[in-house]
Amino acid sequence: RKQQAYLTQGGEHGDCQYVPNVPICENENTFRGGYEEQLLIAVERDIQRGATSVGPHRDDITLTVNGADARRFASQGQQRTMTLALKLAEFEWIRETCDELPIVLLDDVTSELDEMRTNLLFEALSQLPPQVFLTTTRLESDLYRRFPSHTFEVRAGVAKRV
């Protein structure tokens, strides 16, 4: 939430909700029984399909922007912002929880972002202590002046320092 609000200057509120494939119960025995029941119901179909349809590998998350389902109602820029907000939260969590400085890899980072969101993203990235590697199709030098960087332009498979 904090990162989404930051990247939109408080204009959007993002949320993330865990959606388990099998209903979770407080009582472990009830959960185990319900999980086993779901597995037994699906076993014949799963054997025919050659894949297991019940379990945590089928869990999902629901992302919302201002209370609306991001998959259905958010623009591409809002979806990209939500993705980047989740990545920033992940970097922060790794740093705080694991006491590690992650290496940040972001591909095509500025696509779908307007100028405000791009500037706020680069401001947020400049606060990160780890190494940041990113690709973008927009080569605006003022974006990269915020933190020490080495910029390379790739044309026809040849990388040249800018």
Side-chain angles (χ1 to χ4, degrees):
R1 291 180 183 171
K2 178 177 76 172
Q3 289 80 7
Q4 180 80 8
Y6 177 81
L7 291 176
T8 62
Q9 292 187 327
E12 294 174 7
H13 302 283
D15 199 15
C16 177
Q17 182 178 12
Y18 175 66
V19 182
N21 175 255
V22 177
I24 296 177
C25 303
E26 294 295 323
N27 181 313
E28 183 177 337
N29 291 329
T30 303
F31 170 72
R32 184 173 298 195
Y35 183 47
E36 288 174 2
E37 182 179 330
Q38 293 293 321
L39 286 170
L40 289 172
I41 290 170
V43 70
E44 291 299 323
R45 180 184 60 215
D46 289 354
I47 289 171
Q48 289 176 353
R49 289 177 51 208
T52 307
S53 63
V54 176
H57 62 293
R58 296 287 188 181
D59 291 354
D60 204 353
I61 59 172
T62 299
L63 303 174
T64 60
V65 175
N66 295 335
D69 183 349
R71 287 183 185 154
R72 295 178 53 206
F73 299 109
S75 69
Q76 289 181 330
Q78 288 173 315
Q79 290 177 1
R80 176 63 68 141
T81 302
M82 174 66 84
T83 301
L84 292 168
L86 287 169
K87 295 305 284 178
L88 290 172
E90 179 184 22
F91 305 147
E92 186 176 311
W93 181 83
I94 290 170
R95 187 176 60 200
E96 292 174 2
T97 305
C98 304
D99 198 29
E100 296 282 336
L101 300 178
I103 296 174
V104 178
L105 305 171
L106 297 171
D107 184 36
D108 199 14
V109 72
T110 58
S111 72
E112 311 298 338
L113 297 182
D114 59 24
E115 186 177 344
M116 177 196 78
R117 291 172 196 242
T118 299
N119 284 322
L120 290 168
L121 172 65
F122 274 78
E123 187 175 299
L125 291 173
S126 72
Q127 304 302 312
L128 294 174
Q131 293 182 19
V132 177
F133 294 88
L134 59 90
T135 66
T136 182
T137 57
R138 292 164 48 184
L139 192 60
E140 297 146 7
S141 61
D142 61 318
L143 290 175
Y144 309 104
R145 288 191 185 125
R146 296 185 180 164
F147 50 97
S149 67
H150 301 286
T151 305
F152 295 87
E153 181 178 31
V154 180
R155 283 189 190 258
V158 177
K160 185 168 75 172
R161 190 163 184 169
V162 178

